[in-house]
Amino acid sequence: TDALPISLLALGIGVPLGVALLALLGAALRGAATTSALTAQRHALASLIERLDAEAHGAAAIFTPATDVLGQTACDSSGRCDELDFFTRDAHGLARFWAYRYDPPAHTLTRYAYNDLGPAGPQNLQAGPVVLAGVVSFTAQRIPISQVVIPALASYAPQDVVVPFGYPGVAGGNALVAVDLSNSALHLRHELAARLTEIGSASCRERV
């Protein structure tokens, strides 16, 4: 006769305890999923910087066009642009261009390729896949070397070198292009240099 009250008491204790344990388990799983997602976002952003750096070292010129590959204004009054373009020539001397265009409303970075550039813009434009999604911000800005402070050079003032390639707005030389990009997990800034001026530097900080 005493078994029933004892069973009810055990049930009354066990059910709330089980609910609490399930809640803790759910919170732990959600926390693990969030950590995994943030790790993936950090890795994606770092991988993109590595890719841009490798492509810069193989390019004859890096430039930030005032008008992007879709014919829209790409830069603001401070010279920060939503698109980053590269130029080189292949083994047969044929021009090769490619661009990374940021779409702010979609938060995506897409790679484009084209093989000529004239007054009307890119010729034979081909849109590639979205390189990175979930991009909170992306800007590229050309920085003349004369505006860069290099402590190792002490009081020496480096001189700007410009090498024209016969295309509007495309020139090689010793200028750097600073790229700033971020997603919900990380912000990265990296200075890109074409293959003849490989003196870029990088810094990063996590979002809090």
Side-chain angles (χ1 to χ4, degrees):
T1 58
D2 295 334
L4 184 58
I6 294 174
S7 297
L8 290 175
L9 178 61
L11 185 62
I13 295 174
V15 169
L17 181 60
V19 171
L21 289 174
L22 286 175
L24 289 174
L25 179 59
L29 291 175
R30 288 192 296 273
T34 299
T35 300
S36 178
L38 290 175
T39 299
Q41 291 178 25
R42 294 187 189 104
H43 177 73
L45 214 61
S47 295
L48 176 61
I49 285 293
E50 290 180 1
R51 175 176 179 171
L52 293 177
D53 202 40
E55 292 186 356
H57 291 173
I62 311 169
F63 60 103
T64 51
T67 302
D68 67 23
V69 292
L70 301 184
Q72 301 176 8
T73 300
C75 305
D76 61 21
S77 58
S78 67
R80 291 183 174 86
C81 307
D82 291 336
E83 183 175 297
L84 174 67
D85 287 44
F86 298 82
F87 162 79
T88 194
R89 294 188 187 278
D90 63 18
H92 302 288
L94 299 176
R96 292 288 182 266
F97 294 86
W98 64 100
Y100 289 88
R101 180 184 181 273
Y102 177 53
D103 184 344
H107 300 295
T108 56
L109 194 66
T110 302
R111 192 180 193 274
Y112 292 81
Y114 54 104
N115 58 19
D116 198 5
L117 181 62
Q123 305 297 312
N124 301 319
L125 182 67
Q126 296 180 348
V130 171
V131 174
L132 191 63
V135 181
V136 175
S137 65
F138 175 90
T139 61
Q141 183 175 24
R142 183 180 180 276
I143 304 176
I145 197 67
S146 59
Q147 297 179 15
V148 177
V149 176
I150 306 177
L153 297 182
S155 61
Y156 173 76
Q159 301 298 308
D160 295 324
V161 175
V162 178
V163 181
F165 288 109
Y167 297 94
V170 182
N174 58 359
L176 304 177
V177 175
V179 176
D180 276 278
L181 70 161
S182 62
N183 58 17
S184 59
L186 188 67
H187 170 262
L188 288 174
R189 175 184 171 85
H190 191 76
E191 293 171 358
L192 299 174
R195 59 174 173 252
L196 298 181
T197 53
E198 298 176 4
I199 53 174
S201 62
S203 64
C204 68
R205 61 177 176 83
E206 291 193 10
R207 285 183 172 271
V208 294

